[in-house]
């Protein structure tokens, strides 16, 4: 019989092991090992797409319960597709965190790799469900999906999609959420027209909940988590703990046919996508309503073999996680376009006598002026980057980390 499976509880670091292996060795062992399959495994591959800086990596980290993907206020912090793994009971969610959808002109301006243009598309090809993340705090972009996102959705109309409105806590005028949701869905969710019900009772504890109900005309029966601004709860959901969703109720599974493939000319004047199954409203940075989305994703999983061992949190190597965390800090503390020209080279990666991880990395910059900025007056900037990155690495690997950073001009 298969070994019993369950939620592993507080996550281990990427490389904590009963065999006392180093972080790199343990992660390699787990990735190479065959998954510890339960009796009736279920799996769901979820692609998260959206415009740069919409909060995709922040949401991924919150779903995982551990910082695995780099996050900063600058665009294009995520430079390649990476996978996070959530194992809960007999279900495994594979989160495909992707670079923000961009175009060749912007990619050239930020010195972005070719993978930045192709990785989101590759992730869509392997996804069972796609989350489209929109930053509702950006009043310039929140009322229409970017052309890149619309193009991506139109190329894969057979993949179920869910709209996630993020940073709801920052939006002071919550009534604008109705307008935003209507624009981004063209007034249609799950094949039904959106309707509005006002509500006097509102849970003031959560800033992610809007002061109105969004419902659907003649909604199909379903067992998905219901919304506090959605339809009345089904009896099956009473007391289930799933009735706090910020989703629009009713992901129908019995539709005769899915959305048709859209040609580029069809999207020229389009602002929204009328084929979303659900809408969720949340505040990823604060973790509000993220658990509701996670429960919904777990319910959407289908029978299928696990791809990873239950102890795996990401498919990235420890070195890749380290690179990402350091780059995050460089992006955070350097101005404008400067950090996009930094190249990272790991010089030392070894385990010390007391089990601590020793890392030395060189940061190569194209100009002497960039070197001065990165070091900072009295070495304050580079010291702060090393201190904060080192702390994040300790939280991730759950072991002591000694990190040293050098700054050099590219030869």
């Amino acid at each position: 019989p298969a070994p019993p499976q369950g939620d592993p509880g507080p996550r281990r670091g990427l490389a904590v092991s009963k065999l006392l292996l180093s972080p790199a060795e343990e992660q390699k062992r787990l990735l190479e090992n065959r998954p510890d399959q339960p009796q009736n495994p279920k799996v769901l591959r979820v692609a998260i797409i959206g415009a740069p800086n919409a909060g995709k990596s922040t949401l991924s980290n919150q779903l995982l319960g551990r910082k695995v993907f780099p996050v900063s206020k600058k665009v294009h912090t995520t430079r390649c597709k990476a996978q996070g793994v959530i194992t809960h009971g007999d279900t495994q969610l594979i989160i495909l965190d992707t670079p923000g959808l961009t175009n060749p002109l912007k990619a050239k301006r930020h010195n972005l790799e070719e993978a930045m243009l192709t990785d989101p598309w590759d992730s869509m090809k392997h996804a069972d469900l796609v989350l489209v993340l929109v930053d509702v705090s950006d009043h310039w972009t929140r009322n229409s999906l970017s052309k890149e996102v619309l193009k991506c959705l139109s190329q894969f109309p057979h993949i179920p999609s869910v709209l996630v409105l993020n940073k709801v806590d920052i939006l002071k005028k919550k009534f604008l959420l109705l307008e935003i949701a209507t624009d981004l869905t063209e007034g249609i969710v799950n094949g039904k027209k959106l309707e509005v019900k006002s509500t006097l009772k509102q849970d003031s504890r959560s800033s992610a909940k809007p002061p109105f109900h969004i419902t659907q005309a003649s909604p199909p029966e379903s067992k998905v988590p219901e919304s506090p601004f959605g339809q009345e709860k089904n009896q099956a959901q009473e007391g289930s703990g799933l009735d706090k969703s910020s989703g629009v109720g009713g992901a129908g599974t019995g539709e005769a046919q899915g959305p048709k493939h859209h040609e580029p000319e069809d999207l020229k004047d389009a602002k929204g996508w009328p084929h979303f199954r659900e809408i969720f409203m949340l505040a990823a940075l604060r973790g509000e309503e993220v658990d509701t989305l996670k429960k919904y994703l777990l319910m959407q999983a289908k029978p299928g073999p696990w791809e990873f061992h239950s102890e795996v949190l990401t498919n990235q190597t420890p070195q890749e996680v380290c690179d990402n965390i350091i780059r995050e800090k460089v992006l955070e503390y350097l101005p404008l376009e400067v950090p996009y020209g930094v190249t990272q080279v790991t010089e030392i990666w070894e385990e010390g006598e007391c089990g601590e991880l020793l890392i030395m990395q060189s940061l190569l910059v194209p100009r002497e002026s960039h070197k001065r900025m990165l070091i900072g007056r009295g070495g304050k900037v580079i010291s702060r980057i090393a201190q904060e990155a080192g702390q994040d690495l300790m939280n991730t690997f759950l072991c002591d980390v000694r990190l040293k950073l050098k700054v050099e001009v590219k030869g």
Side-chain angles (χ1 to χ4, degrees):
Q5 296 298 319
D7 186 0
R11 272 292 185 180
R12 293 153 294 282
L14 294 184
V16 172
S17 168
K18 299 169 188 171
L19 303 177
L20 300 178
L21 298 176
S22 71
E25 290 171 336
E26 170 65 1
Q27 178 73 351
K28 183 180 178 183
R29 182 186 72 82
L30 288 174
L31 289 173
E32 289 179 349
N33 275 3
R34 292 179 62 185
D36 46 339
Q37 303 285 353
Q39 261 185 325
N40 300 297
K42 291 187 288 185
V43 67
L44 186 76
R45 297 177 65 88
V46 183
I48 303 180
I49 66 170
N53 220 26
K56 297 179 292 297
S57 295
T58 300
L59 177 58
S60 297
N61 288 336
Q62 288 283 9
L63 288 168
L64 289 163
R66 177 67 60 86
K67 187 171 185 177
V68 171
F69 303 113
V71 177
S72 88
K73 295 174 184 175
K74 287 192 174 69
V75 298
H76 304 306
T77 305
T78 300
R79 301 294 283 256
C80 62
K81 64 182 176 186
Q83 297 179 6
V85 184
I86 300 168
T87 302
H88 183 92
D90 59 2
T91 302
Q92 193 164 84
L93 301 179
I94 300 169
I95 307 298
L96 310 172
D97 185 42
T98 61
L101 283 160
T102 188
N103 58 48
L105 188 63
K106 292 177 183 175
K108 186 176 181 182
R109 191 177 76 193
H110 288 97
N111 294 320
L112 304 180
E113 299 87 345
E114 182 67 24
M116 296 284 286
L117 297 172
T118 59
D119 279 356
W121 297 85
D122 290 340
S123 293
M124 287 290 290
K125 291 175 186 175
H126 299 101
D128 303 311
L129 182 88
V130 57
L131 300 182
V132 177
L133 204 61
V134 175
D135 175 3
V136 298
S137 70
D138 188 339
H139 68 278
W140 296 106
T141 61
R142 65 191 177 200
N143 286 91
S144 62
L145 297 174
S146 73
K147 293 304 176 191
E148 287 81 14
V149 168
L150 281 169
K151 184 179 177 184
C152 204
L153 289 170
S154 70
Q155 292 292 317
F156 302 93
H158 58 286
I159 300 176
S161 56
V162 170
L163 176 63
V164 180
L165 303 183
N166 189 28
K167 307 185 187 181
V168 174
D169 56 321
I170 302 176
L171 191 66
K172 293 180 180 178
K173 300 177 180 177
K174 294 291 190 285
F175 64 85
L176 290 174
L177 288 169
L178 173 62
E179 176 189 316
I180 295 168
T182 303
D183 286 345
L184 297 180
T185 62
E186 296 187 357
I188 298 172
V189 175
N190 199 30
K192 305 295 178 182
K193 188 176 180 181
L194 291 178
E195 293 184 348
V196 187
K197 291 181 183 178
S198 62
T199 177
L200 297 175
K201 293 182 180 180
Q202 184 189 3
D203 187 349
S204 60
R205 289 172 298 175
S206 172
S207 57
K209 295 177 183 177
F212 53 77
H213 286 322
I214 295 180
T215 69
Q216 296 164 276
S218 305
E221 291 185 11
S222 73
K223 294 184 181 179
V224 299
E226 289 292 349
S227 165
F229 54 97
Q231 305 139 6
E232 292 77 6
K233 293 187 286 285
N234 293 335
Q235 287 184 347
Q237 292 159 326
E238 290 292 347
S240 67
L242 300 181
D243 57 334
K244 294 182 180 178
S245 164
S246 290
V248 176
T253 55
E255 293 185 9
Q257 61 187 72
K260 297 176 182 176
H261 184 89
H262 290 255
E263 298 301 326
E265 55 267 22
D266 299 334
L267 303 173
K268 190 169 63 172
D269 300 317
K271 292 173 63 179
W273 181 249
H275 306 297
F276 287 119
R277 298 286 186 91
E278 304 282 338
I279 304 174
F280 286 82
M281 301 189 184
L282 49 79
L285 187 60
R286 295 170 57 169
E288 290 189 6
E289 300 298 314
V290 172
D291 197 47
T292 298
L293 175 60
K294 184 175 177 178
K295 289 173 182 175
Y296 171 80
L297 296 175
L298 288 167
M299 293 175 69
Q300 302 309 304
K302 299 291 187 288
W306 286 359
E307 295 185 31
F308 297 97
H309 190 280
S310 60
E311 291 185 30
V312 170
L313 192 61
T314 177
N315 69 331
Q316 300 170 92
T317 66
Q319 288 92 338
E320 287 171 329
V321 173
C322 176
D323 285 350
N324 286 337
I325 286 175
I326 294 171
R327 187 176 67 251
E328 168 194 311
K329 305 305 177 187
V330 171
L331 282 164
E332 201 66 33
Y333 289 112
L334 286 188
L336 303 173
E337 306 291 304
V338 175
Y340 299 101
V342 176
T343 302
Q344 299 166 252
V345 178
T346 300
E347 309 284 358
I348 296 175
W349 181 288
E350 60 186 37
E351 191 174 347
E353 292 181 3
C354 301
E356 75 274 23
L357 190 58
L358 308 175
I359 303 170
M360 186 170 79
Q361 191 168 102
S362 294
L363 304 178
L364 309 181
V365 294
R367 298 188 183 94
E368 189 67 36
S369 59
H370 292 181
K371 178 180 177 179
R372 289 195 295 271
M373 276 189 277
L374 184 49
I375 293 175
R377 184 175 296 178
K380 286 185 178 179
V381 174
I382 195 65
S383 296
R384 189 169 184 180
I385 289 172
Q387 182 182 1
E388 292 187 10
Q391 186 60 54
D392 279 359
L393 288 169
M394 284 193 278
N395 294 339
T396 299
F397 296 137
L398 298 185
C399 69
D400 288 333
V401 175
R402 289 173 54 193
L403 174 65
K404 183 177 180 181
L405 299 178
K406 295 192 305 179
V407 184
E408 300 174 356
V409 178
K410 294 176 184 177

